[in-house]
Amino acid sequence: MLSRCTVAAVLLAVVGPALSAPSATAKREIQGLMDALSASSCEFQRNGAWHGREEARKHLQRKYDYLLKRDLVDTAEQFIERAASKSSMSGRAYQVRCPGQPAQPAATWFRLKLDALRGSGGPGR
């Protein structure tokens, strides 16, 4: 009969690879989204208060790190959905406001940036 340690080792070998981490491409895209926020002149609203781009980036980085530790983000789309779209505490949608433009949902802003990073420049990608 197999020992518990042997069973655990076999399960880890089988299940471990199923717990995926972001691919190199996804990591580059997520980094690109963070860089786009830092390079912008935009402000980021969360829970009703506007924040500068660097403070926003730090906040999103903390959320991303949390998701990574729990294997909850594998793609740039998941990053947008799970970290950059709304407050996980209040459920309120984040907003992005850039000079000369009305505020828009952060999810929309990040999806447009992701499309640009991928070179499509258009929706649906």
Side-chain angles (χ1 to χ4, degrees), residues 96 104 125:
V96 174
Q104 63 181 309
R125 183 120 202 250

Side-chain angles (χ1 to χ4, degrees), residues 8-118:
V10 170
L11 283 174
L12 279 175
V14 172
V15 176
L19 298 174
S20 57
S23 67
T25 299
K27 288 178 183 178
R28 275 193 308 276
E29 289 175 342
I30 294 166
Q31 183 67 41
L33 293 173
M34 298 282 231
D35 291 345
L37 179 61
S38 291
S40 76
S41 302
C42 304
E43 294 177 296
F44 189 85
Q45 184 192 69
R46 61 184 173 93
N47 297 321
W50 288 100
H51 302 275
R53 59 189 182 230
E54 288 306 317
E55 184 178 345
R57 183 185 179 131
K58 287 177 187 174
H59 174 72
L60 293 179
Q61 185 66 54
R62 283 191 302 273
K63 287 184 75 173
Y64 178 49
D65 292 343
Y66 175 89
L67 293 170
L68 280 174
K69 286 179 187 174
R70 287 153 185 81
D71 293 318
L72 295 173
V73 62
D74 298 327
T75 65
E77 288 85 359
Q78 286 178 342
F79 167 76
I80 293 169
E81 176 189 333
R82 297 174 182 171
S85 293
K86 65 182 179 180
S87 169
S88 33
M89 300 299 274
S90 71
R92 291 175 67 180
Y94 294 148
Q95 298 282 310
V96 174
R97 178 176 65 189
C98 301
Q101 300 174 6
Q104 63 181 309
T108 301
W109 190 88
F110 280 107
R111 283 189 199 107
L112 289 170
K113 294 300 178 188
L114 181 58
D115 286 342
L117 284 170
R118 290 177 172 169

